[in-house]
Amino acid sequence: MQYDHILIRYGEMALKGKNIKQFILRLQENIQQKIKEFPDAKVKRTQGRMFVLLNGHDPQPILEKLKKIFGIQSMSLAIKVENEVEAIKDAALYALNNGGNIHKFKVSVKRINKDFPVHSQEMNQILGGHLLINTKDITVDVHHPDLEIKVEIRLEATYITSSVIPGLGGLPVGTSGKTLLLLSGGIDSPVAGYLAMKRGVQIEAIHFHSPPFTSARAKQKVLDLAQQLTKYGKSIKVHIVPFTKLQQEIFREMPDGYAMTIMRRMMMRISEKVCKNESILSMTTGENLGQVASQTMDSMNTINEVTNYPIIRPLVTMDKSEIIEISKAIETYETSILPYEDCCTIFVPKSPKTKPKRDRTNAFEAKKDFSALIEEAVNGIETIKITERTEMESKFDDLL
Amino acid sequence: MIYLDNSATTKPNAEVVQSFQQVTERFFANPSSIHQFGGEAEHLLVKARKQAAEILNVSQSEIVFTAGGTEGNNIAIKGIALEHQNRGKHIITTEIEHPSVFNACESLKKLGFDITYLPVDGNGAISLQELKKAIRKDTILISIMHVNNETGAIQPVEEIGEIAKKYPKLFFHVDDVQGLGKVPLNLKNSGIDLCTFSGHKIHGLKGTGILYVDHRTTLYPLFHGGEQEQGIRSGTENLAGAVSMVKALRLIKELEKTQADRLFQLKEYLRNEIELMEGIEINTPAQAAPHILNISVPGVKPEVIIHMLGEDEIFISTKSACSSKQKDESKILAACGFSKDRTTSALRISLSYDNTKVEIDQFLRALKTAIMKFNKVME
């Protein structure tokens, strides 16, 4: 006997009204995509439930994949058997023996198939007795069980499930449109991207690269971060903007205290153009109130002036420690803290204004026409499609 | 050739050797160099570390690439001792450890450490009761091997981990050089703080290894330098070695999944056949690793058997290769309580997933002939 499928439960999606079909289809597609390396595993839907049929695959690595898919509230390993008492007894015992270190259990039988000759109450007792006889040091506790073995006798077969494994929750990626994530390489922006994805948003990323001031390794770091995010969704397009000329011009021509603010405004302008070209309707940043100079209320107000696209700021009210915690959980932290210069650390004004004003900023910007340089930056964008496996890694695959 | 000395070392897997060569030739840059070429090398190192972490079900930052088992054991034991000596200077280990653990502990004695060597029973296992009794207020480290290199006996390291968990000031190190790929061992939430692995025992290359260091564990480094390997083992990374180690690890884990039963059956077959032979005692306990069988032929000099088998290109060993320079009896078998005629006449047959039943049959025939010849000469 062996677990032969995984039962998938959706959380919030179940609350959606008429759109639910669309959410479920997307989830099914996302799951199928993520487990395609297990050729025989199939995702099936029947009677308002979703299953992964294992067809002989080891459930553990598949569970690991499912734990990274948004839209799954929880999962359970399950066994399907014929509607026969003996078969159900064996399966329940298997589930108990594979339930980990437990002392107290409970059996709950649901008899949906009323043609099944044994009533659910009686079936509870038969199974409970069978489990007690065949195990040691395990007792029944209907109020506080370590493990609940659920038995559903349905028309076509009986399903036995036990431990409930939590999923990520959220909505299936691809059900809430697309956003452009400003990905710097620090701790915050990958977390912002992850949280946007949690609400079903698909992401593309934009990164401002200033060679030779920023190295190829800083760029690789951003691609690595994007790749880590693909584990929670689909492949991610990363737009690398050649930013050196524009950045140098800003720091040469604009007053020191406003250079940082103006640079950020340029980034928003370029991002908006990318959004338009790629039919993306919003931007996402890792901004967080009060963290550094550019993230004051004044600064946000002034930077935001240049675009009327919605800016999603999932981290805006979080504490740094909360952000770090998520970044560790999604395994971007170790990459994020690698000490490479990025475009924000290389040109640092001596005394950036923490309260930049819109009117003054506009006045400074009016003195110089940056439009040609912005155009040049946009035209020079290199777009790299990041999948769960990159070309570089495929090169490494044979080695490892 | 029939190679049955896999606990001494294994034949490097051809794919592993190929990886080593390719990395040496193509990614020779120093991973710490900041140019792009160095970046590629670093990227590969990160990938290797990630894959090792995934296979061992731990975090990337808990993987330290080393130059092998002896180095891993020394870094772990002396590293804990030197870093945490203010907490206490007592270490618990067993009488049957590999010399790299035993001698590391002996060296610490000279620095004022007190070492308790736990005895083992006839099955080569320590008693958990005695371990609990041995733990003192000043105990900072328990170092116990998973699978014994001479007998294949398995220590209850998972239970020991549970005991160790109850003493937050104490670290638990496991030497899993012989167990890796043969006897499953879970590290996550196991109470194990440090675990040593070696590449050349799993068809990798000599001079490669991994030390698992739980992220809460701090060590005094034995090598100071460029702070590579989380500062625990400075020195320019042996990238080709690390990659080859991780490849060997992946391959042995795949074999363990699909062939552990076959290996166990093969050893059982060998054991049953030898049990039928007269004048041979089996020193390996019934519950043991699937690849090691230790036997004694009392009254027969083991070296003579080794040389006679060697003429047929069949290779087994006496005791562990690392102890074979000490000419007397097997310290480990003596610790198990065997009589002198057994401890001085021991032979170790150690299998790998490559060995076949045909080879075992050939070996059994050769062993019978060798013993017969020996007895004739001595008559």
Side-chain angles (χ1 to χ4, degrees):
Chain A
M1 179 146 317
Q2 214 180 345
Y3 285 118
D4 51 20
H5 62 284
I6 300 169
L7 172 66
I8 310 269
R9 299 185 195 83
Y10 355 107
E12 205 177 314
M13 276 162 56
L15 302 173
K16 302 276 170 201
K18 285 184 185 154
N19 296 337
I20 185 155
K21 185 86 193 228
Q22 173 205 332
F23 283 84
I24 289 172
L25 283 174
R26 174 65 74 175
L27 179 63
Q28 183 177 11
E29 197 184 306
N30 290 356
I31 294 174
Q32 192 70 66
Q33 186 66 23
K34 283 289 168 193
I35 62 171
K36 67 173 179 215
E37 66 187 85
F38 308 96
D40 300 325
K42 293 279 173 288
V43 191
K44 283 271 163 357
R45 285 179 299 119
T46 48
Q47 304 168 20
R49 294 163 163 247
M50 201 178 289
F51 296 106
V52 174
L53 302 176
L54 294 169
N55 290 324
H57 286 292
D58 179 4
Q60 278 316 320
I62 295 181
L63 278 176
E64 287 309 312
K65 292 275 179 192
L66 297 179
K67 281 182 195 170
K68 290 194 169 78
I69 298 177
F70 289 118
I72 298 178
Q73 191 66 21
S74 67
M75 301 155 264
S76 290
L77 284 166
I79 309 168
K80 178 181 177 181
V81 294
E82 308 251 315
N83 287 344
E84 277 172 13
V85 177
E86 282 310 310
I88 298 171
K89 277 160 78 174
D90 287 349
L93 183 61
Y94 175 84
L96 185 66
N97 284 336
N98 286 279
N101 184 20
I102 46 173
H103 304 290
K104 298 174 290 180
F105 75 94
K106 168 186 179 178
V107 180
S108 324
V109 177
K110 255 195 204 165
R111 194 180 58 128
I112 293 152
N113 178 357
K114 297 299 176 199
D115 291 336
F116 190 74
V118 189
H119 287 245
S120 50
Q121 206 44 34
E122 197 185 337
M123 197 64 194
N124 266 332
Q125 285 163 6
I126 292 174
L127 293 176
H130 182 68
L131 298 184
L132 286 172
I133 291 166
N134 288 291
T135 52
K136 258 194 206 158
D137 305 327
I138 297 185
T139 56
V140 174
D141 185 337
V142 292
H143 300 295
H144 306 287
D146 299 328
L147 189 72
E148 181 177 359
I149 295 171
K150 292 183 186 156
V151 177
E152 277 194 32
I153 304 164
R154 298 175 83 97
L155 283 178
E156 70 286 6
T158 296
Y159 297 90
I160 292 99
T161 61
S162 55
S163 20
V164 175
I165 302 148
L168 274 186
L171 299 171
V173 171
T175 54
S176 307
K178 220 189 243 181
T179 194
L180 183 68
L181 172 70
L182 277 73
L183 192 57
S184 68
I187 294 169
D188 299 344
S189 46
V191 176
Y194 167 82
L195 291 173
M197 289 162 90
K198 182 171 184 188
R199 298 310 299 167
V201 181
Q202 196 180 334
I203 59 175
E204 289 191 13
I206 186 166
H207 177 71
F208 296 88
H209 186 46
S210 303
F213 302 104
T214 57
S215 66
R217 226 182 263 202
K219 177 173 147 190
Q220 184 60 45
K221 174 180 167 182
V222 168
L223 300 180
D224 288 347
L225 288 170
Q227 197 194 14
Q228 184 59 24
L229 291 177
T230 61
K231 293 193 177 159
Y232 298 91
K234 304 165 173 301
S235 59
I236 295 175
K237 271 197 209 168
V238 182
H239 305 278
I240 306 282
V241 183
F243 203 47
T244 319
K245 267 187 170 173
L246 183 55
Q247 203 176 5
Q248 279 177 309
E249 196 69 6
I250 294 166
F251 280 81
R252 198 157 43 223
E253 302 288 333
M254 295 290 110
D256 185 64
Y258 271 79
M260 188 65 92
T261 306
I262 291 169
M263 185 186 84
R264 297 266 178 192
R265 282 161 62 106
M266 294 302 168
M267 288 178 171
M268 298 318 274
R269 289 185 176 106
I270 292 170
S271 297
E272 192 187 279
K273 282 183 193 294
V274 172
C275 283
K276 281 182 180 152
N277 292 343
E278 303 285 322
S279 313
I280 298 171
L281 300 181
S282 72
M283 300 172 217
T284 297
T285 72
E287 281 168 300
N288 173 257
L289 256 179
Q291 212 183 62
V292 289
S294 64
Q295 299 181 22
T296 60
M297 196 66 88
D298 295 79
S299 189
M300 248 182 231
N301 179 282
T302 305
I303 292 167
N304 217 148
E305 188 189 10
V306 301
T307 178
N308 61 6
Y309 270 56
I311 299 179
I312 302 170
R313 298 183 175 92
L315 313 185
V316 77
T317 62
M318 282 189 186
D319 287 351
K320 190 74 187 179
S321 57
E322 295 173 81
I323 299 168
I324 289 177
E325 203 175 303
I326 300 175
S327 122
K328 283 182 176 165
I330 64 172
E331 292 179 68
T332 53
Y333 182 77
E334 285 181 31
T335 307
S336 285
I337 57 171
L338 293 174
Y340 310 130
E341 302 285 357
D342 66 37
C343 64
C344 302
T345 56
I346 209 86
F347 296 98
V348 182
K350 284 170 210 80
S351 52
K353 275 263 180 287
T354 53
K355 296 188 171 177
K357 298 289 174 264
R358 282 188 175 192
D359 51 354
R360 296 201 65 195
T361 313
N362 283 320
F364 292 133
E365 281 182 357
K367 286 181 192 160
K368 172 87 196 162
D369 183 9
F370 288 104
S371 56
L373 283 174
I374 292 178
E375 215 47 51
E376 196 184 321
V378 172
N379 291 335
I381 285 177
E382 176 197 8
T383 299
I384 301 169
K385 188 175 173 189
I386 301 291
T387 54
E388 268 196 77
R389 313 201 67 77
T390 61
E391 214 173 290
M392 181 75 160
E393 280 184 346
S394 321
K395 195 164 87 180
F396 290 163
D397 269 354
D398 302 340
L399 298 171
L400 285 161
Chain B
M1 177 176 79
I2 298 175
Y3 186 75
L4 299 172
D5 194 14
N6 289 285
S7 287
T9 192
T10 54
K11 182 182 177 188
N13 183 301
E15 282 181 60
V16 171
V17 177
Q18 200 186 359
S19 274
F20 183 89
Q21 188 180 356
Q22 284 176 350
V23 176
T24 302
E25 286 171 359
R26 276 163 50 194
F27 299 98
F28 62 82
N30 189 324
S32 301
S33 294
I34 65 166
H35 47 67
Q36 196 179 335
F37 192 27
E40 276 187 15
E42 189 202 27
H43 198 72
L44 179 55
L45 183 67
V46 169
K47 272 294 289 178
R49 200 184 301 282
K50 220 181 213 172
Q51 185 169 316
E54 273 167 26
I55 293 171
L56 298 172
N57 193 21
V58 300
S59 301
Q60 286 174 59
S61 58
E62 297 177 322
I63 299 286
V64 175
F65 288 113
T66 66
T70 293
E71 185 179 293
N73 285 339
N74 272 272
I75 292 177
I77 293 168
K78 294 178 185 166
I80 289 290
L82 298 179
E83 180 77 7
H84 301 284
Q85 53 184 319
N86 291 337
R87 292 186 189 174
K89 287 189 153 191
H90 180 229
I91 293 171
I92 299 171
T93 181
T94 76
E95 285 182 351
I96 56 156
E97 296 298 317
H98 185 265
S100 60
V101 168
F102 176 76
N103 286 328
C105 289
E106 285 294 293
S107 81
L108 288 168
K109 260 189 186 170
K110 291 178 194 146
L111 298 180
F113 285 82
D114 190 9
I115 318 286
T116 298
Y117 293 101
L118 296 174
V120 294
D121 59 20
N123 284 327
I126 64 149
S127 135
L128 294 173
Q129 283 310 320
E130 294 211 29
L131 169 68
K132 281 186 205 162
K133 266 194 267 166
I135 297 175
R136 314 193 309 220
K137 266 193 183 143
D138 61 340
T139 307
I140 54 171
L141 175 67
I142 298 175
S143 179
I144 291 177
M145 71 191 340
H146 184 207
V147 171
N148 183 267
N149 51 317
E150 284 191 27
T151 65
I154 300 171
Q155 299 300 331
V157 290
E158 271 148 20
E159 283 95 327
I160 299 169
E162 291 304 317
I163 295 171
K165 274 185 193 171
K166 294 181 188 136
Y167 298 88
K169 273 167 49 178
L170 177 161
F171 296 95
F172 177 32
H173 167 243
V174 173
D175 171 359
D176 194 28
V177 168
Q178 289 292 344
L180 180 61
K182 307 284 172 25
V183 184
L185 176 66
N186 166 50
L187 293 174
K188 205 166 202 172
N189 302 323
S190 60
I192 298 171
D193 302 298
L194 298 137
C195 191
T196 306
F197 304 108
S198 166
H200 79 100
K201 308 282 196 203
I202 56 165
H203 306 278
L205 301 169
K206 278 87 180 160
T208 64
I210 286 174
L211 177 66
Y212 159 75
V213 183
D214 175 273
H215 63 280
R216 289 158 298 197
T217 303
T218 51
L219 293 169
Y220 188 87
L222 299 191
F223 303 151
H224 293 90
E227 300 280 304
Q228 289 91 345
E229 298 300 314
Q230 294 88 262
I232 290 170
R233 190 201 184 269
S234 287
T236 298
E237 294 92 342
N238 176 5
L239 179 62
V243 169
S244 72
M245 168 78 207
V246 176
K247 183 156 198 170
L249 179 64
R250 175 171 71 77
L251 295 173
I252 199 80
K253 284 286 176 183
E254 280 168 15
L255 284 173
E256 185 181 6
K257 240 185 200 167
T258 55
Q259 300 216 35
D261 279 346
R262 189 188 68 84
L263 184 64
F264 177 76
Q265 297 303 339
L266 196 60
K267 190 202 74 170
E268 284 302 289
Y269 172 72
L270 173 66
R271 186 185 178 105
N272 293 338
E273 289 296 311
I274 286 185
E275 252 169 13
L276 297 175
M277 291 165 68
E278 237 169 87
I280 304 188
E281 312 266 9
I282 293 183
N283 303 322
T284 294
Q287 297 289 324
H291 63 303
I292 300 177
L293 190 71
N294 193 301
I295 60 174
S296 287
V297 197
V300 176
K301 266 197 167 352
E303 289 78 7
V304 180
I305 302 275
I306 301 269
H307 295 314
M308 283 178 171
L309 291 172
E311 279 169 21
D312 295 338
E313 295 211 330
I314 296 175
F315 302 110
I316 65 169
S317 63
T318 52
K319 42 193 174 177
S320 90
C322 295
S323 308
S324 60
K325 285 183 186 112
Q326 304 143 17
K327 283 251 160 64
D328 49 349
E329 59 174 359
S330 159
K331 201 173 135 279
I332 288 165
L333 293 179
C336 295
F338 295 124
S339 58
K340 190 113 184 179
D341 57 342
R342 264 168 93 167
T343 61
T344 52
S345 63
L347 296 168
R348 179 183 68 183
I349 304 124
S350 47
L351 312 180
S352 79
Y353 291 110
D354 292 342
N355 291 125
T356 61
K357 184 164 172 292
V358 175
E359 289 180 323
I360 297 298
D361 283 332
Q362 252 176 289
F363 160 71
L364 286 163
R365 273 197 299 276
L367 180 65
K368 266 181 215 163
T369 316
I371 294 174
M372 222 158 62
K373 268 194 203 162
F374 181 88
N375 289 338
K376 256 193 196 143
V377 174
M378 298 304 284
E379 262 166 19

